[in-house]
Amino acid sequence: MAVTESTFDQSTTTTMHRVKRVAFYLVVLVTLGIFVFTAGELLPFLVLGFTMGAELGIHQFHVIALASFVAFVTLGVLVQLYKPETRVATYQATFLAMAILTALSVFTGDLFILLYFVPVVLIGLLHPAGRRLLTIGERYSPAILGLTLVAAIPLLAYAGNQFQLQATGDEHALFGHYMPMVAIALTILAAGLLVAFESVGFRLLAWLTGLFAVYVGFASIVLPTLASSAGTLWGALAIVWAVAFVAATELSVRESASSYFSRVRTTREESVPGKPV
């Protein structure tokens, strides 16, 4: 059987696609390795940090909050190992989180952050979703968008305050602790917008964002007097907001599914021969 030019081109394209996909998974694994082996030491503080007040001292809240940020971006990379085409929103949020932290860190002269940001960029360049990484959903949820815009006011105010504190030159500023706090606030806001505009896979991102906000809110309640803590009241409000955010997402998902099945049923009924339209 003669091999036509079109068959050859198709075979070449398929081979390149497979090579790119293998390269994608390799980069994801390498990125996870970098995260775990260089920043993974922070992850135990997600739990142990609450019991190490004496050891961590005035930096206790910062260490706990930074551990939650590391957990968020690490999970964002980890979930790309399974059906990455359906995890677009989570990657978008991870990229934005790292881009924000990188910009802030470079501003303060910390170039080490590039060790984490560059692999995340490579994941995007090789991602099976391709150009869909640059898009959001075709519709939006008014309820989720409303909740996100409401949260934007305190989140931007908090981010601005932490950014200003970095210029004070105090002990926290010397360790660069305020910039991750700015990144956390802006990441939650960015993730909220991605969920509101229903980017592909927004449901998973909603849960990750909700857990992120609940954790930081809980830490603020437990450690209300430490630097960068939002305090008891705002910590509690963060938890309430997170619950409402996830609940609104679940309602949106159910409404979309219900609408989809309704359209499918209507289409099938209209296609029945002899059935009046």
Side-chain angles (χ1 to χ4, degrees):
M1 179 182 295
V3 179
T4 64
E5 185 177 347
S6 60
T7 302
F8 177 77
D9 291 341
Q10 184 177 3
S11 176
T12 302
T13 302
T14 302
T15 301
M16 292 299 295
H17 176 76
R18 290 176 179 173
V19 170
K20 183 179 178 181
R21 196 172 185 88
V22 170
F24 166 77
Y25 284 117
L26 286 176
V27 172
V28 170
L29 290 174
V30 169
T31 304
L32 286 173
I34 293 173
F35 279 21
V36 171
F37 288 109
T38 62
E41 61 184 15
L42 285 168
L43 296 178
F45 289 110
L46 288 170
V47 177
L48 299 179
F50 291 99
T51 65
M52 299 177 65
E55 294 87 345
L56 299 177
I58 61 173
H59 302 295
Q60 186 179 10
F61 181 84
H62 285 147
V63 172
I64 290 173
L66 183 55
S68 68
F69 182 87
V70 171
F72 180 82
V73 295
T74 300
L75 286 172
V77 173
L78 179 63
V79 299
Q80 301 306 313
L81 290 173
Y82 180 70
K83 294 183 178 180
E85 296 90 344
T86 66
R87 307 284 190 264
V88 171
T90 306
Y91 172 77
Q92 290 172 325
T94 301
F95 172 82
L96 290 174
M98 290 306 306
I100 292 168
L101 183 59
T102 298
L104 292 169
S105 298
V106 170
F107 177 78
T108 59
D110 181 12
L111 299 181
F112 184 75
I113 190 66
L114 294 174
L115 175 66
Y116 306 104
F117 183 54
V118 171
V120 171
V121 173
L122 289 177
I123 290 175
L125 294 175
L126 295 169
H127 203 286
R131 293 183 180 179
R132 278 184 294 169
L133 294 179
L134 302 177
T135 65
I136 54 178
E138 297 179 352
R139 46 166 279 178
Y140 72 94
S141 166
I144 301 174
L145 181 59
L147 284 168
T148 302
L149 293 179
V150 167
I153 299 174
L155 284 172
L156 291 175
Y158 178 84
N161 172 258
Q162 296 300 299
F163 188 84
Q164 290 178 340
L165 288 174
Q166 182 63 40
T168 62
D170 64 12
E171 186 174 348
H172 301 290
L174 292 176
F175 282 98
H177 284 171
Y178 292 120
M179 289 311 191
M181 301 303 108
V182 176
I184 287 173
L186 296 182
T187 295
I188 292 175
L189 177 57
L193 290 174
L194 287 171
V195 174
F197 286 96
E198 300 188 353
S199 187
V200 177
F202 70 93
R203 186 182 189 184
L204 174 60
L205 176 59
W207 278 93
L208 291 177
T209 305
L211 289 173
F212 194 12
V214 165
Y215 183 87
V216 176
F218 175 75
S220 294
I221 293 173
V222 176
L223 305 167
T225 61
L226 293 184
S228 297
S229 170
T232 303
L233 174 60
W234 286 107
L237 289 175
I239 293 175
V240 172
W241 177 86
V243 173
F245 180 76
V246 173
T249 302
E250 288 299 312
L251 286 175
S252 179
V253 170
R254 292 185 180 183
E255 288 176 0
S256 296
S258 210
S259 174
Y260 170 76
F261 286 118
S262 176
R263 290 196 302 270
V264 170
R265 184 169 56 251
T266 301
T267 301
R268 287 178 177 174
E269 289 177 351
E270 291 177 349
S271 65
V272 175
K275 185 178 180 63
V277 179

